[in-house]
Every structure is written in C-alpha cells, then in structure tokens.
C-alpha cells in the first residue's frame, strides 16, 4: 500500500496523562532505555547505551539549538499577547541568516490573543541584558491563513538569537502543561546544541551527557552531526482520515560537506540516527543526491527542497554511496562547505530505508507522523514496543524515557 492511503486511526494508542513526563530526571543519562532488536525487548538505562551498539557504528546527532521562541508582550491594559516565533520570513536565505539579523527582522508567528492586537498598534517588551534594559517592539505586518507576519525591532547591538535568549521563554511542547522554569533553559537543550533555530528540542538527544558520549567513543563508535531546525509542526496531530490529505511540515536542514564524506566512508557499516530529525535529514540526503544523479543542474536556481511524497515516486534508486557522492561533487563544484536545503519528507509504513540501520528515539504521541516513522522502521512491532513501555512504567514524550530500535531490514553485526 502507498503511504498516502494509510489511515491514521491504525496508528493510535491510549496514552494516559500520568505516563507523560512533565519534568526531566535529575540526571539525563538515568533515563530508561528500551532496546528492540531481533524481535526481542531488553531494558537498560542511557548511561549504558554503548553496550547495545556495535563497534564501528556511526551515530548521527542533530546539533540544532532551541531558541526561546515565546515572547510575552504585556499591553497597557494588563492583558498579554503571546508571539510564538515559528520560522523566518521568506526573504532570508536560511534560519542562520535570519537569526544573525541586528536591529530588526520579520518572522512568521502564531499569536495568542490576536483579537486584542489592533492594526497599527506597536507592542513593547522590555528586556534586560547585563546591567542595562532594552526594548523589543512588535508590529503586525500581515495576516496569513495559518500565521502572522510580525516585524520585530530592538534597541541594542544584539543579533535576533540573542534578543530571544534575553527576552523570550522556552517553547515547551503543548502537552507539558506548566510554565517554563529556569531549569528548562538548559534541560530542554542537548549538551551538543550549537546552531540557533529550533522551536522544539530534538528530544532523543536530551539523554546524552559528555560521559555517555565519551563511553561511545571509547568503544570505537563514531559520531557525526547534522542540523535540522525543528519546527512547531512536529507536534501537529494528523487530523486527516488518510495521509494523502495531511500536509507535512517542512524544515531547514544544514549538513557539512565533511559529514557527507564521513557518511561515504561509512559505506556498509552500521548507521544509527539519534532522533527522528537526524533520521529525516539522513534519508533526505539520499533522495536529494538521487535527484542530482538524474539532473546535475537540479539545484541551480533554487534552494534544494524535498517534497513529502518525492521519495515514493523516484524510479532511479542508486546505491546510497553514489547518491552521497553526487552531493559531494555538487558541493565541490559550487565551492560550498555545507548543503542547506528544506525537507518535507514523510516516512511512513511502505517506506524503504536507504541510509539507516537503527534509531534512538523517545516515545511519541498517538496519531503522529513520528509514530508513523517508528512503524515504518519496525513494522507492527511498534504496538509490541509501546504496549511494553506502557505496562512497564516508561515515561513518555519529550522529557520521557527512550528506545533504541533496530530495523529488521538489515542484518546487524554482533556487538
């Protein structure tokens, strides 16, 4: 069956609220780890994850950094208007460019309390940086069907990323029903976060500490980093009856040429994605490379973009190394050190994985595209895994426990 025809009601389960983790554990690597391999389930903790991964595996992490995307503007009347910064206006080439703007920027936003915001009214938000107080202004530029275009202006010589850090709040997921706290600034962030741009954490990476990363490297397990800036669309439930009617969210990815060369060198040795965002980035690289093999000028005039169903429509299916080499050649010929693209890829049952052998991931919401991705990887066994996790008191969603899932499509080397 083509994934377009999948019914989302086949990918749901009952998630009691008491199973949702509303706070992180005191120690990141104390989180429990469910390991699914060869039809069997084991349990452990993240501190010991290296013992479940073969030597010479390459683990790919997402090093995006969550920005404090929630801005709370208080009107003179005392009412609050919340501006949630989703993604930059189309005028900017990529998220990094927009985040580095100084003085002013235009952003696509959700607005809570928009009916209280009169046309032409400028909202003000004082913020402190060091010993000084500065002001952030917001003006309503345009109303779109699914968001608003907001112009933000500020005093002080700051980048927009710095302004958000000083003036904004951590964008906790909607299912964590509490206000953000000081601890969330560090805990809703991976220890390897580098590049500002996400409005949600790549949560599989939250369990990794410097000690865990060191234990991985001691076992001769290699690590690499991609950047996918996670959008709020990752939390959007599938409301359509079939996936054909669901409009998958698109997200920016940035991948260094060195990482593509690392993937080429990995060749047939195991590849594990840490998080669904890393997985979507890696699989997107394959399809973008496959497109270049058909048409070397494919990216000449536009930002490379992978639509949600393109992976299911390709008839040219090269070996993954050849697809990656096509990207390597493209970057060399254009004198680029990194690939910047957007991906809308939807990975659901019926998808054949081209890049990865295993996935480290948390437990996801019912009826979500993330659960579809898990089902694509381990088939109907997702029900067995989730039933086990529910019955054995695993903690669910962003601040919860996680899993290491090995695909059945590849023969795994012994540990």
């Amino acid at each position: 069956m083509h994934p377009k025809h999948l019914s989302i009601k086949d990918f749901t389960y009952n998630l009691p609220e008491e199973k949702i983790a509303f706070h992180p554990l005191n120690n990141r690597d104390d989180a429990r780890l469910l390991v699914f391999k060869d039809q069997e389930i084991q349990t452990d903790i993240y501190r010991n994850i290296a013992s479940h991964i073969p030597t010479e595996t390459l683990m790919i992490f997402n090093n995006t950094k969550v920005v404090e995307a929630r801005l709370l503007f208080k009107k003179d009347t005392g009412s609050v208007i919340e501006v949630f910064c989703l993604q930059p206006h189309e005028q900017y080439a990529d998220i990094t460019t927009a985040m580095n703007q100084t003085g002013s920027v235009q952003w696509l936003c959700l607005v809570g309390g928009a009916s209280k915001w009169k046309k032409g009214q400028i909202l003000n938000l004082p913020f402190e940086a060091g010993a000084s107080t500065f002001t952030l202004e917001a003006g309503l530029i345009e109303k779109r069907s699914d968001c608003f275009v907001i112009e933000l202006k500020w005093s002080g010589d700051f980048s927009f990323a710095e302004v958000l850090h000083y003036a904004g709040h951590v964008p906790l997921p909607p299912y964590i029903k509490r206000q953000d706290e000081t601890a969330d600034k560090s805990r809703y962030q991976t220890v390897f976060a580098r590049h500002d741009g996400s409005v949600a954490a790549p949560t599989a990476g939250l369990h990794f500490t410097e000690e865990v990363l060191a234990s991985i490297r001691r076992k001769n397990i290699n690590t690499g980093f991609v950047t996918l800036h996670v959008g709020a669309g990752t939390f959007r439930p599938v409301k359509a009856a079939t996936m054909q009617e669901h409009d998958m969210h698109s997200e920016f990815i940035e991948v260094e040429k060195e990482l593509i060369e690392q993937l080429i060198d990995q060749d047939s040795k195991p590849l594990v994605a840490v998080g669904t965002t890393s997985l979507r980035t890696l699989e997107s690289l394959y399809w973008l490379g496959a497109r270049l093999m058909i048409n070397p000028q494919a990216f000449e005039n536009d930002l490379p973009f992978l639509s949600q169903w393109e992976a299911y429509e390709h008839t040219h299916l090269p070996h993954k190394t050849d697809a990656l080499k096509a990207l390597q050649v493209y970057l060399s010929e254009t004198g680029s050190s990194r690939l910047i693209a957007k991906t809308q890829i939807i990975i659901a049952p019926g998808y054949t994985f081209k890049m990865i052998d295993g996935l480290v991931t948390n437990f996801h919401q019912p009826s979500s595209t993330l659960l579809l991705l898990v089902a694509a990887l381990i088939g109907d066994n997702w029900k067995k895994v989730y039933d086990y996790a529910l019955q054995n008191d695993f903690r669910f969603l962003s601040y919860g426990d996680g899993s290491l899932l090995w695909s059945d499509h590849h023969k795994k080397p012994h540990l």
Side-chain angles (χ1 to χ4, degrees), residues 87-139:
Q87 63 185 59
H89 190 275
E90 300 85 3
Q91 64 184 282
Y92 307 106
D94 52 64
I95 284 187
T96 302
T97 301
M99 282 290 175
N100 287 333
Q101 295 297 306
T102 57
S104 69
V105 73
Q106 288 194 7
W107 218 260
L108 308 185
C109 305
L110 299 177
V111 177
S115 60
K116 304 170 190 169
W117 195 349
K118 294 176 184 173
K119 192 176 172 82
Q121 182 181 21
I122 301 296
L123 303 179
N124 293 290
L125 174 59
F127 65 93
E128 293 181 2
S132 302
T133 300
F134 300 89
T135 301
L136 175 64
E137 298 180 347

Short mmCIF file of all heavy atoms in Angstrom, two decimals, residues 87-139:
data_model
loop_
_atom_site.label_atom_id
_atom_site.label_comp_id
_atom_site.label_asym_id
_atom_site.label_seq_id
_atom_site.Cartn_x
_atom_site.Cartn_y
_atom_site.Cartn_z
N GLN A 87 9.16 30.57 12.21
CA GLN A 87 10.26 30.47 11.25
C GLN A 87 10.44 31.82 10.57
O GLN A 87 9.53 32.66 10.58
CB GLN A 87 9.98 29.39 10.21
CG GLN A 87 8.76 29.64 9.34
CD GLN A 87 8.48 28.46 8.42
OE1 GLN A 87 8.26 27.35 8.86
NE2 GLN A 87 8.45 28.73 7.12
N PRO A 88 11.61 32.06 9.99
CA PRO A 88 11.87 33.37 9.39
C PRO A 88 11.04 33.61 8.14
O PRO A 88 10.58 32.67 7.48
CB PRO A 88 13.36 33.31 9.05
CG PRO A 88 13.71 31.87 9.01
CD PRO A 88 12.79 31.18 9.95
N HIS A 89 10.85 34.89 7.83
CA HIS A 89 10.19 35.30 6.59
C HIS A 89 10.98 34.78 5.40
O HIS A 89 12.20 34.57 5.48
CB HIS A 89 10.11 36.83 6.57
CG HIS A 89 9.25 37.36 5.47
ND1 HIS A 89 9.73 37.57 4.19
CD2 HIS A 89 7.94 37.75 5.45
CE1 HIS A 89 8.76 38.05 3.42
NE2 HIS A 89 7.67 38.17 4.16
N GLU A 90 10.30 34.58 4.29
CA GLU A 90 10.92 34.00 3.10
C GLU A 90 12.05 34.86 2.53
O GLU A 90 12.85 34.39 1.70
CB GLU A 90 9.87 33.79 2.00
CG GLU A 90 8.74 32.85 2.38
CD GLU A 90 7.61 33.54 3.14
OE1 GLU A 90 7.68 34.78 3.31
OE2 GLU A 90 6.67 32.85 3.59
N GLN A 91 12.14 36.11 2.94
CA GLN A 91 13.18 36.99 2.39
C GLN A 91 14.59 36.56 2.81
O GLN A 91 15.57 36.97 2.19
CB GLN A 91 12.96 38.44 2.84
CG GLN A 91 13.08 38.66 4.33
CD GLN A 91 12.75 40.09 4.75
OE1 GLN A 91 13.55 40.99 4.59
NE2 GLN A 91 11.54 40.28 5.28
N TYR A 92 14.69 35.73 3.87
CA TYR A 92 16.01 35.31 4.35
C TYR A 92 16.37 33.96 3.73
O TYR A 92 15.52 33.07 3.61
CB TYR A 92 16.03 35.22 5.87
CG TYR A 92 15.57 36.51 6.52
CD1 TYR A 92 14.31 36.59 7.12
CD2 TYR A 92 16.37 37.64 6.50
CE1 TYR A 92 13.87 37.78 7.70
CE2 TYR A 92 15.94 38.83 7.08
CZ TYR A 92 14.69 38.91 7.67
OH TYR A 92 14.25 40.07 8.22
N ALA A 93 17.65 33.81 3.41
CA ALA A 93 18.10 32.60 2.71
C ALA A 93 17.96 31.35 3.56
O ALA A 93 17.67 30.27 3.06
CB ALA A 93 19.56 32.78 2.28
N ASP A 94 18.17 31.51 4.88
CA ASP A 94 18.09 30.36 5.77
C ASP A 94 17.93 30.87 7.20
O ASP A 94 17.96 32.08 7.45
CB ASP A 94 19.34 29.47 5.65
CG ASP A 94 20.63 30.27 5.81
OD1 ASP A 94 20.85 30.81 6.91
OD2 ASP A 94 21.40 30.35 4.84
N ILE A 95 17.75 29.95 8.13
CA ILE A 95 17.50 30.34 9.53
C ILE A 95 18.70 31.05 10.13
O ILE A 95 18.55 32.03 10.86
CB ILE A 95 17.11 29.10 10.36
CG1 ILE A 95 15.67 28.70 10.03
CG2 ILE A 95 17.25 29.37 11.86
CD1 ILE A 95 15.08 27.60 10.88
N THR A 96 19.91 30.57 9.83
CA THR A 96 21.11 31.19 10.41
C THR A 96 21.20 32.66 10.02
O THR A 96 21.49 33.53 10.86
CB THR A 96 22.38 30.44 9.95
OG1 THR A 96 22.26 29.07 10.35
CG2 THR A 96 23.62 31.04 10.56
N THR A 97 20.93 32.97 8.76
CA THR A 97 20.95 34.37 8.30
C THR A 97 19.94 35.20 9.08
O THR A 97 20.24 36.31 9.53
CB THR A 97 20.63 34.43 6.79
OG1 THR A 97 21.59 33.67 6.08
CG2 THR A 97 20.65 35.87 6.28
N ALA A 98 18.74 34.67 9.25
CA ALA A 98 17.69 35.41 9.97
C ALA A 98 18.04 35.59 11.44
O ALA A 98 17.82 36.66 12.02
CB ALA A 98 16.36 34.69 9.82
N MET A 99 18.61 34.56 12.04
CA MET A 99 18.97 34.64 13.46
C MET A 99 20.08 35.66 13.71
O MET A 99 20.20 36.21 14.80
CB MET A 99 19.42 33.26 13.96
CG MET A 99 18.28 32.32 14.25
SD MET A 99 17.35 32.85 15.70
CE MET A 99 16.01 31.66 15.68
N ASN A 100 20.89 35.91 12.70
CA ASN A 100 22.01 36.85 12.85
C ASN A 100 21.65 38.30 12.53
O ASN A 100 22.50 39.18 12.61
CB ASN A 100 23.19 36.41 11.97
CG ASN A 100 23.90 35.18 12.52
OD1 ASN A 100 23.88 34.94 13.73
ND2 ASN A 100 24.49 34.38 11.65
N GLN A 101 20.38 38.54 12.15
CA GLN A 101 19.95 39.92 11.86
C GLN A 101 20.09 40.79 13.11
O GLN A 101 19.85 40.33 14.23
CB GLN A 101 18.50 39.94 11.39
CG GLN A 101 18.25 39.23 10.06
CD GLN A 101 18.98 39.87 8.90
OE1 GLN A 101 18.85 41.07 8.64
NE2 GLN A 101 19.77 39.07 8.20
N THR A 102 20.45 42.04 12.92
CA THR A 102 20.53 43.00 14.02
C THR A 102 19.57 44.15 13.77
O THR A 102 19.39 44.57 12.63
CB THR A 102 21.96 43.56 14.18
OG1 THR A 102 22.37 44.15 12.94
CG2 THR A 102 22.94 42.46 14.57
N GLY A 103 18.95 44.65 14.83
CA GLY A 103 18.07 45.82 14.72
C GLY A 103 16.63 45.50 14.40
O GLY A 103 15.72 46.01 15.06
N SER A 104 16.41 44.64 13.41
CA SER A 104 15.03 44.28 13.05
C SER A 104 15.01 42.99 12.24
O SER A 104 16.02 42.61 11.64
CB SER A 104 14.34 45.40 12.25
OG SER A 104 14.92 45.51 10.96
N VAL A 105 13.87 42.34 12.24
CA VAL A 105 13.70 41.09 11.49
C VAL A 105 12.21 40.86 11.28
O VAL A 105 11.37 41.36 12.05
CB VAL A 105 14.34 39.90 12.27
CG1 VAL A 105 13.50 39.53 13.49
CG2 VAL A 105 14.55 38.69 11.39
N GLN A 106 11.85 40.15 10.23
CA GLN A 106 10.45 39.74 10.03
C GLN A 106 10.37 38.23 10.22
O GLN A 106 11.23 37.48 9.72
CB GLN A 106 9.94 40.14 8.64
CG GLN A 106 9.70 41.64 8.52
CD GLN A 106 8.89 42.01 7.30
OE1 GLN A 106 8.37 41.16 6.57
NE2 GLN A 106 8.77 43.31 7.05
N TRP A 107 9.34 37.80 10.94
CA TRP A 107 9.22 36.40 11.33
C TRP A 107 7.77 35.94 11.15
O TRP A 107 6.84 36.73 11.31
CB TRP A 107 9.62 36.23 12.80
CG TRP A 107 10.38 34.97 13.11
CD1 TRP A 107 9.89 33.84 13.65
CD2 TRP A 107 11.78 34.73 12.90
NE1 TRP A 107 10.88 32.90 13.81
CE2 TRP A 107 12.06 33.42 13.35
CE3 TRP A 107 12.82 35.49 12.38
CZ2 TRP A 107 13.32 32.85 13.30
CZ3 TRP A 107 14.09 34.93 12.31
CH2 TRP A 107 14.32 33.62 12.77
N LEU A 108 7.60 34.67 10.81
CA LEU A 108 6.26 34.08 10.76
C LEU A 108 5.94 33.56 12.16
O LEU A 108 6.72 32.80 12.73
CB LEU A 108 6.20 32.95 9.74
CG LEU A 108 6.69 33.26 8.32
CD1 LEU A 108 6.44 32.08 7.39
CD2 LEU A 108 6.04 34.51 7.77
N CYS A 109 4.80 33.98 12.68
CA CYS A 109 4.48 33.71 14.09
C CYS A 109 3.04 33.26 14.28
O CYS A 109 2.15 33.59 13.49
CB CYS A 109 4.69 34.99 14.93
SG CYS A 109 6.31 35.74 14.79
N LEU A 110 2.83 32.52 15.37
CA LEU A 110 1.49 32.33 15.90
C LEU A 110 1.28 33.42 16.94
O LEU A 110 2.22 33.83 17.62
CB LEU A 110 1.36 30.95 16.56
CG LEU A 110 1.58 29.72 15.67
CD1 LEU A 110 1.49 28.45 16.49
CD2 LEU A 110 0.59 29.70 14.52
N VAL A 111 0.04 33.89 17.07
CA VAL A 111 -0.23 34.96 18.03
C VAL A 111 -1.40 34.56 18.92
O VAL A 111 -2.51 34.29 18.44
CB VAL A 111 -0.56 36.29 17.32
CG1 VAL A 111 -0.92 37.37 18.34
CG2 VAL A 111 0.63 36.75 16.46
N GLY A 112 -1.12 34.47 20.22
CA GLY A 112 -2.17 34.20 21.19
C GLY A 112 -2.75 35.52 21.67
O GLY A 112 -2.03 36.38 22.17
N GLY A 113 -4.06 35.68 21.49
CA GLY A 113 -4.69 36.95 21.85
C GLY A 113 -4.66 37.96 20.72
O GLY A 113 -4.65 39.18 20.95
N ALA A 114 -4.62 37.46 19.47
CA ALA A 114 -4.51 38.35 18.31
C ALA A 114 -5.68 39.32 18.20
O ALA A 114 -5.53 40.44 17.69
CB ALA A 114 -4.41 37.51 17.03
N SER A 115 -6.85 38.91 18.70
CA SER A 115 -8.03 39.79 18.61
C SER A 115 -7.86 41.06 19.42
O SER A 115 -8.52 42.06 19.19
CB SER A 115 -9.29 39.04 19.07
OG SER A 115 -9.13 38.62 20.42
N LYS A 116 -6.94 41.03 20.40
CA LYS A 116 -6.69 42.21 21.23
C LYS A 116 -5.62 43.13 20.63
O LYS A 116 -5.31 44.17 21.21
CB LYS A 116 -6.23 41.76 22.63
CG LYS A 116 -7.18 40.83 23.35
CD LYS A 116 -6.51 40.27 24.59
CE LYS A 116 -7.32 39.13 25.21
NZ LYS A 116 -6.57 38.43 26.25
N TRP A 117 -5.07 42.72 19.50
CA TRP A 117 -3.98 43.48 18.88
C TRP A 117 -4.55 44.30 17.73
O TRP A 117 -4.86 43.78 16.68
CB TRP A 117 -2.91 42.52 18.38
CG TRP A 117 -1.59 43.17 18.04
CD1 TRP A 117 -1.32 44.49 17.92
CD2 TRP A 117 -0.37 42.47 17.75
NE1 TRP A 117 -0.01 44.69 17.59
CE2 TRP A 117 0.61 43.46 17.49
CE3 TRP A 117 0.00 41.13 17.70
CZ2 TRP A 117 1.92 43.15 17.16
CZ3 TRP A 117 1.31 40.82 17.39
CH2 TRP A 117 2.26 41.81 17.12
N LYS A 118 -4.69 45.59 17.96
CA LYS A 118 -5.28 46.47 16.96
C LYS A 118 -4.28 46.77 15.86
O LYS A 118 -3.09 46.88 16.09
CB LYS A 118 -5.73 47.78 17.61
CG LYS A 118 -6.87 47.61 18.61
CD LYS A 118 -7.20 48.91 19.29
CE LYS A 118 -8.26 48.70 20.37
NZ LYS A 118 -8.47 49.93 21.17
N LYS A 119 -4.82 46.90 14.65
CA LYS A 119 -3.97 47.19 13.49
C LYS A 119 -3.22 48.49 13.71
O LYS A 119 -3.79 49.49 14.13
CB LYS A 119 -4.85 47.29 12.23
CG LYS A 119 -4.07 47.29 10.93
CD LYS A 119 -5.02 47.30 9.76
CE LYS A 119 -4.27 47.49 8.46
NZ LYS A 119 -3.70 46.30 7.91
N GLY A 120 -1.93 48.47 13.44
CA GLY A 120 -1.10 49.66 13.63
C GLY A 120 -0.52 49.81 15.03
O GLY A 120 0.35 50.65 15.25
N GLN A 121 -1.01 49.01 15.97
CA GLN A 121 -0.52 49.11 17.34
C GLN A 121 0.84 48.42 17.48
O GLN A 121 1.04 47.32 16.99
CB GLN A 121 -1.53 48.45 18.29
CG GLN A 121 -1.16 48.54 19.76
CD GLN A 121 -2.19 47.84 20.65
OE1 GLN A 121 -2.94 46.98 20.19
NE2 GLN A 121 -2.22 48.21 21.92
N ILE A 122 1.79 49.11 18.11
CA ILE A 122 3.11 48.55 18.36
C ILE A 122 3.17 48.06 19.80
O ILE A 122 2.86 48.80 20.74
CB ILE A 122 4.22 49.59 18.12
CG1 ILE A 122 4.17 50.12 16.68
CG2 ILE A 122 5.59 49.00 18.43
CD1 ILE A 122 4.44 49.07 15.62
N LEU A 123 3.55 46.81 19.98
CA LEU A 123 3.70 46.24 21.32
C LEU A 123 5.15 46.36 21.77
O LEU A 123 6.08 46.28 20.95
CB LEU A 123 3.29 44.76 21.31
CG LEU A 123 1.87 44.44 20.82
CD1 LEU A 123 1.64 42.93 20.85
CD2 LEU A 123 0.83 45.16 21.65
N ASN A 124 5.34 46.56 23.06
CA ASN A 124 6.68 46.72 23.61
C ASN A 124 6.97 45.66 24.67
O ASN A 124 6.11 45.34 25.49
CB ASN A 124 6.83 48.10 24.25
CG ASN A 124 6.78 49.21 23.21
OD1 ASN A 124 7.69 49.36 22.41
ND2 ASN A 124 5.70 49.98 23.21
N LEU A 125 8.20 45.15 24.65
CA LEU A 125 8.64 44.18 25.65
C LEU A 125 10.03 44.58 26.15
O LEU A 125 11.02 44.44 25.44
CB LEU A 125 8.70 42.77 25.03
CG LEU A 125 9.28 41.65 25.91
CD1 LEU A 125 8.48 41.48 27.19
CD2 LEU A 125 9.33 40.34 25.13
N PRO A 126 10.12 45.13 27.38
CA PRO A 126 11.44 45.45 27.93
C PRO A 126 12.19 44.16 28.26
O PRO A 126 11.59 43.18 28.67
CB PRO A 126 11.11 46.23 29.21
CG PRO A 126 9.65 46.50 29.17
CD PRO A 126 9.03 45.45 28.29
N PHE A 127 13.50 44.17 28.06
CA PHE A 127 14.30 43.01 28.45
C PHE A 127 15.65 43.48 28.97
O PHE A 127 16.15 44.54 28.59
CB PHE A 127 14.46 42.01 27.31
CG PHE A 127 15.25 42.52 26.12
CD1 PHE A 127 16.63 42.32 26.02
CD2 PHE A 127 14.61 43.18 25.07
CE1 PHE A 127 17.36 42.76 24.93
CE2 PHE A 127 15.33 43.63 23.96
CZ PHE A 127 16.70 43.42 23.90
N GLU A 128 16.21 42.68 29.86
CA GLU A 128 17.49 43.03 30.47
C GLU A 128 18.62 42.21 29.85
O GLU A 128 18.47 41.02 29.61
CB GLU A 128 17.44 42.77 31.98
CG GLU A 128 16.48 43.71 32.71
CD GLU A 128 16.46 43.46 34.21
OE1 GLU A 128 17.23 42.59 34.67
OE2 GLU A 128 15.70 44.14 34.91
N ALA A 129 19.72 42.91 29.61
CA ALA A 129 20.93 42.25 29.13
C ALA A 129 22.09 42.87 29.89
O ALA A 129 22.39 44.05 29.72
CB ALA A 129 21.09 42.45 27.63
N GLY A 130 22.70 42.07 30.75
CA GLY A 130 23.71 42.63 31.64
C GLY A 130 23.06 43.58 32.62
O GLY A 130 22.03 43.27 33.22
N ALA A 131 23.63 44.77 32.74
CA ALA A 131 23.09 45.74 33.69
C ALA A 131 22.13 46.71 33.04
O ALA A 131 21.62 47.63 33.69
CB ALA A 131 24.25 46.51 34.34
N SER A 132 21.86 46.55 31.76
CA SER A 132 21.04 47.52 31.02
C SER A 132 19.70 46.92 30.61
O SER A 132 19.55 45.70 30.48
CB SER A 132 21.78 48.00 29.77
OG SER A 132 23.01 48.57 30.11
N THR A 133 18.73 47.80 30.39
CA THR A 133 17.40 47.40 29.92
C THR A 133 17.20 47.90 28.49
O THR A 133 17.51 49.06 28.19
CB THR A 133 16.30 47.97 30.83
OG1 THR A 133 16.49 47.46 32.16
CG2 THR A 133 14.92 47.54 30.35
N PHE A 134 16.68 47.03 27.66
CA PHE A 134 16.43 47.38 26.26
C PHE A 134 14.96 47.08 25.95
O PHE A 134 14.24 46.55 26.79
CB PHE A 134 17.35 46.57 25.34
CG PHE A 134 18.81 46.81 25.61
CD1 PHE A 134 19.49 46.04 26.55
CD2 PHE A 134 19.50 47.81 24.94
CE1 PHE A 134 20.84 46.25 26.80
CE2 PHE A 134 20.85 48.04 25.20
CZ PHE A 134 21.52 47.26 26.13
N THR A 135 14.54 47.42 24.74
CA THR A 135 13.13 47.23 24.38
C THR A 135 13.01 46.51 23.05
O THR A 135 13.71 46.83 22.08
CB THR A 135 12.41 48.59 24.27
OG1 THR A 135 12.51 49.26 25.53
CG2 THR A 135 10.93 48.38 23.95
N LEU A 136 12.11 45.52 23.03
CA LEU A 136 11.75 44.82 21.80
C LEU A 136 10.37 45.29 21.38
O LEU A 136 9.44 45.30 22.20
CB LEU A 136 11.75 43.31 22.03
CG LEU A 136 11.28 42.42 20.87
CD1 LEU A 136 12.23 42.54 19.68
CD2 LEU A 136 11.18 40.97 21.32
N GLU A 137 10.21 45.71 20.12
CA GLU A 137 8.92 46.16 19.59
C GLU A 137 8.39 45.15 18.58
O GLU A 137 9.17 44.54 17.84
CB GLU A 137 9.07 47.53 18.90
CG GLU A 137 9.52 48.65 19.80
CD GLU A 137 9.65 49.98 19.04
OE1 GLU A 137 9.62 49.95 17.79
OE2 GLU A 137 9.79 51.03 19.70
N ALA A 138 7.07 45.00 18.55
CA ALA A 138 6.44 44.08 17.60
C ALA A 138 5.34 44.81 16.84
O ALA A 138 4.49 45.48 17.46
CB ALA A 138 5.86 42.88 18.33
N GLY A 139 5.36 44.69 15.53
CA GLY A 139 4.32 45.28 14.68
C GLY A 139 3.71 44.23 13.78
O GLY A 139 4.42 43.36 13.25
#
